[in-house]
């Protein structure tokens, strides 16, 4: 699942400079407020975590407009996804997973002993009719990513409401909003609205993307107080460290850094989409912090050529089961220009 690292590429090919655009990491780094908070927390690193967890849960609750009893803090949002699957699935149950999507949905469902029902995409978008056709009396979970990874495509509020209204009452929808903060304001859908309306929804989010804290491993889930309480009760003690919790809390309140991240991403996404389209590639209209080039005939050769030039991207075949796709993280201006130049040279055969 994990993408190739810069160190691995240096060891493998001996390249000096690496542009890493394969893991959807922030190109600008974490908030200075988060770094300072982590430094302060590190001074008491010999003490087990305490109030930091409840402090972050309260801060997240205020941020989203819910009480802290609806918040579950996890060791990354993957932790919450696995916990939801473990709590709501068992042998004989089914989980519906539209494809392509994040591998953790399948991993969590299968670990719980459930059967995964995959729904093929419709020209890379989620097939809403296919999703509903896949639901049976055994279905307990439906996983939806908004916007999706790896496609970057976003669901509209109407599309989500249509699904929620059509689903039977025994199905819980997991809305994974790991990339939600990157969606353009006019297209953004807040999953918390559905929770407030009493829908059977769990929302998951992460501090790894917009907040640039991937190495700290902090995420959170939002659910009904009853389900959230059950998920918290199943967590081991001290499952997230104090340094990470304090960094996340500081990052949550740094609106200047969040707005900078959004602006850099919006400009870089438009640049990559425009330039790659001009080169003749088909690029899906992304609302995430990455773009997906599709319809490629020899992704492995292209990926190898990029690696030789010190550029890491992400072929979608191995991780997502989507042949012919190359996911490119939005980087800095210089990084984006570099990947475009390498792809242009590859097309020209130079």
């Amino acid at each position: 699942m994990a993408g190739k690292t810069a160190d691995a590429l240096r060891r493998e090919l001996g390249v000096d400079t690496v542009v890493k655009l394969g893991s959807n990491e922030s190109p600008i780094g974490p908030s200075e407020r988060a770094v300072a908070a982590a430094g302060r927390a590190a001074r008491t690193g010999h003490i087990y975590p305490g109030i930091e967890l409840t402090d972050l849960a309260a801060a997240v609750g205020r941020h989203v407009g819910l009480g802290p009893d609806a918040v579950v803090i996890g060791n990354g949002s993957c932790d919450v996804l696995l916990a939801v699957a473990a709590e709501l699935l068992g042998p004989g149950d089914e989980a519906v997973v539209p494809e392509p999507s994040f591998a953790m949905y399948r991993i969590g469902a299968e670990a719980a002993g459930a059967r995964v029902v995959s729904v093929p995409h419709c020209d890379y978008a989620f097939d809403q009719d296919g999703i509903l056709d896949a639901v049976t009396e055994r279905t307990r979970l439906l996983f939806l990513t908004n916007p999706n990874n790896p496609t970057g495509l976003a669901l509209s509020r109407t599309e989500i409401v249509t699904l929620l209204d059509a689903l039977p009452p025994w199905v819980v929808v997991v809305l994974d909003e790991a990339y939600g903060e990157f969606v353009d304001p006019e297209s953004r859908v807040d999953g918390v609205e559905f929770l407030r309306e009493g829908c059977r929804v769990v929302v998951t989010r992460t501090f790894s993307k917009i907040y640039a804290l991937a190495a700290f491993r902090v995420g959170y889930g939002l659910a009904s107080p009853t389900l959230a309480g059950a998920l918290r009760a199943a967590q081991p003690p001290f499952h997230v460290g104090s340094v990470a919790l304090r960094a996340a809390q500081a990052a949550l309140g740094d609106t200047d850094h969040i707005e900078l991240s959004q602006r850099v991403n919006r400009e870089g996404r438009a640049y990559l989409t425009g330039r790659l389209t001009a080169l003749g590639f088909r690029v899906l209209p992304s609302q995430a912090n990455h773009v997906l080039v599709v319809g490629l005939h020899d992704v492995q050769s292209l990926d190898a050529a990029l690696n030789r030039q010190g550029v890491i991207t992400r072929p979608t075949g191995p991780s997502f089961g989507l042949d012919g796709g190359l996911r490119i993280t939005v980087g800095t201006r210089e990084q984006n220009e570099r990947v475009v130049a390498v792809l242009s040279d590859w097309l020209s055969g130079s």
Side-chain angles (χ1 to χ4, degrees):
M1 271 184 57
K4 183 174 290 187
T5 67
D7 287 340
L9 188 63
R10 291 189 186 98
R11 288 194 299 268
E12 180 184 335
L13 297 178
V15 294
D16 294 325
T17 302
V18 176
V19 173
K20 186 170 183 272
L21 300 177
S23 298
N24 295 345
E25 296 154 330
S26 168
I28 65 171
S31 153
E32 288 301 322
R33 287 169 58 176
V35 173
R40 291 191 296 270
R43 297 192 187 104
T44 55
H46 58 295
I47 305 296
Y48 285 115
I51 198 173
E52 298 89 355
L53 184 68
T54 53
D55 282 353
L56 179 58
V60 168
R62 290 190 297 271
H63 178 70
V64 302
L66 295 173
D69 57 348
V71 180
V72 182
I73 304 299
N75 195 290
S77 60
C78 290
D79 186 30
V80 180
L81 290 167
L82 291 173
V84 171
E87 180 68 24
L88 298 180
L89 294 174
D93 293 335
E94 294 177 350
V96 174
V97 180
E99 302 291 355
S101 57
F102 191 33
M104 289 307 299
Y105 311 149
R106 176 178 295 275
I107 292 170
E110 291 179 344
R115 174 174 175 262
V116 175
V117 180
S118 298
V119 180
H121 64 84
C122 183
D123 194 25
Y124 303 101
F126 289 157
D127 181 355
Q128 295 219 54
D129 291 336
I131 290 170
L132 293 175
D133 289 343
V135 173
T136 72
E137 61 183 13
R138 294 178 178 270
T139 306
R140 295 295 176 266
L141 286 180
L142 164 61
F143 289 94
L144 294 175
T145 327
N146 195 35
N148 190 30
N149 174 26
T151 64
L153 300 177
L155 292 164
S156 68
R157 192 180 198 283
T158 299
E159 288 173 319
I160 296 174
V161 169
T162 299
L163 283 172
L164 291 175
D165 287 347
L167 289 170
W170 57 83
V171 178
V172 174
V173 176
V174 178
L175 275 176
D176 183 353
E177 296 182 345
Y179 300 92
E181 293 94 346
F182 294 108
V183 179
D184 293 335
E186 64 273 13
S187 301
R188 194 171 300 154
V189 181
D190 186 354
V192 175
E193 295 177 15
F194 304 117
L195 270 175
R196 293 198 191 100
E197 293 167 6
C199 298
R200 290 172 57 81
V201 167
V202 177
V203 178
T204 60
R205 295 176 180 173
T206 184
F207 284 92
S208 296
K209 305 303 178 185
I210 194 77
Y211 299 104
L213 296 177
F216 286 78
R217 310 308 304 131
V218 188
Y220 62 92
L222 306 168
S224 69
T226 299
L227 177 55
L231 296 173
R232 287 193 299 270
Q235 291 176 325
F238 316 130
H239 65 293
V240 185
S242 302
V243 173
L245 292 166
R246 287 305 190 203
Q249 185 176 348
L252 189 69
D254 194 341
T255 55
D256 288 343
H257 183 266
I258 295 167
E259 290 170 0
L260 174 62
S261 297
Q262 291 169 327
R263 183 173 72 253
V264 169
N265 183 73
R266 184 168 55 249
E267 293 171 355
R269 189 172 64 197
Y271 172 83
L272 284 174
T273 301
R275 291 299 304 273
L276 294 177
T277 300
L279 289 173
F281 292 107
R282 182 185 176 189
V283 185
L284 299 185
S286 175
Q287 285 287 323
N289 71 338
H290 55 270
V291 299
L292 183 65
V293 180
V294 297
L296 299 168
H297 297 298
D298 191 355
V299 177
Q300 297 308 316
S301 294
L302 176 54
D303 183 52
L306 286 162
N307 286 179
R308 288 193 295 271
Q309 297 300 316
V311 177
I312 297 174
T313 54
R314 189 70 172 269
T316 57
S319 296
F320 299 96
L322 182 66
D323 293 333
L326 188 73
R327 193 189 69 188
I328 304 171
T329 303
V330 176
T332 62
R333 179 76 183 194
E334 293 76 16
Q335 290 173 329
N336 297 334
E337 289 173 349
R338 177 62 178 156
V339 73
V340 168
V342 173
L343 287 170
S344 179
D345 289 344
W346 179 79
L347 284 173
S348 65
S350 58

